[in-house]
Amino acid sequence: SVASSVESSVVVPWVLSGRGVAALRGQAERLAAFVEAGREVSSADVGVSLVSGRAVHEHRAVVTGGTRGELLDAVRAVASGARVTGAVVGEAGEAAAERVAFVFPGQGSQWVGMAEELLDTSPVFGERFAACGAALEPYVGWSLTDVVRG
């Protein structure tokens, strides 16, 4: 189980999507009901199932939390249409594709080599990382891979 490798203090994302706002809210309601039913499933396992076993539609939400309670609160907010810290809701499509943002907080939450293990163990992450490095390279005088690997 993924849960055995994830500590309880780790923030876990749950990704939801629907063909419309009502469908997205419906998925959030069903997810909250499933988790509240006391099923013996970890927050990490729920997160993995949501991203690996479901179709991705244009109306999307990502909720995050370090505890099951935080995740449930955020999912309930998505279900009701409320805005809450720990939940981001949006719509993918042409308009969304034109808006790109890079965030560089500079708050010390990163360190040299922090993605090395993921680069070495996740082919999907490695492919996306390489694509980001290739897109960035014409604009900077350094290699993203070299920076991460120190």
Side-chain angles (χ1 to χ4, degrees):
S1 137
V2 172
S4 61
S5 65
V6 177
E7 297 178 24
S8 62
S9 63
V10 173
V11 173
V12 174
W14 286 355
V15 180
L16 302 97
S17 73
R19 292 187 189 273
V21 174
L24 177 62
R25 288 182 181 176
Q27 186 190 10
E29 288 172 8
R30 289 185 299 280
L31 178 59
F34 173 81
V35 174
E36 289 169 338
R39 304 277 199 299
E40 291 297 321
V41 63
S42 75
S43 298
D45 286 341
V46 170
V48 169
S49 295
L50 289 169
V51 296
S52 63
R54 303 190 61 87
V56 178
H57 300 291
E58 52 277 355
H59 291 269
R60 301 174 187 171
V62 176
V63 301
T64 59
T67 67
R68 188 180 187 105
E70 290 173 351
L71 287 158
L72 271 172
D73 288 346
V75 167
R76 285 188 206 107
V78 170
S80 69
R83 293 179 182 241
V84 65
T85 300
V88 177
V89 179
E91 183 179 355
E94 270 186 44
E98 294 174 10
R99 298 178 304 211
V100 176
F102 291 96
V103 178
F104 300 98
Q107 297 172 350
S109 61
Q110 65 283 339
W111 59 90
V112 172
M114 73 180 273
E116 280 187 279
E117 184 177 349
L118 198 52
L119 277 171
D120 295 337
T121 59
S122 173
V124 173
F125 180 80
E127 289 172 16
R128 297 291 188 231
F129 188 88
C132 289
L136 188 60
E137 202 165 328
Y139 304 102
V140 295
W142 42 267
S143 158
L144 185 59
T145 303
D146 291 347
V147 170
V148 167
R149 294 199 183 272

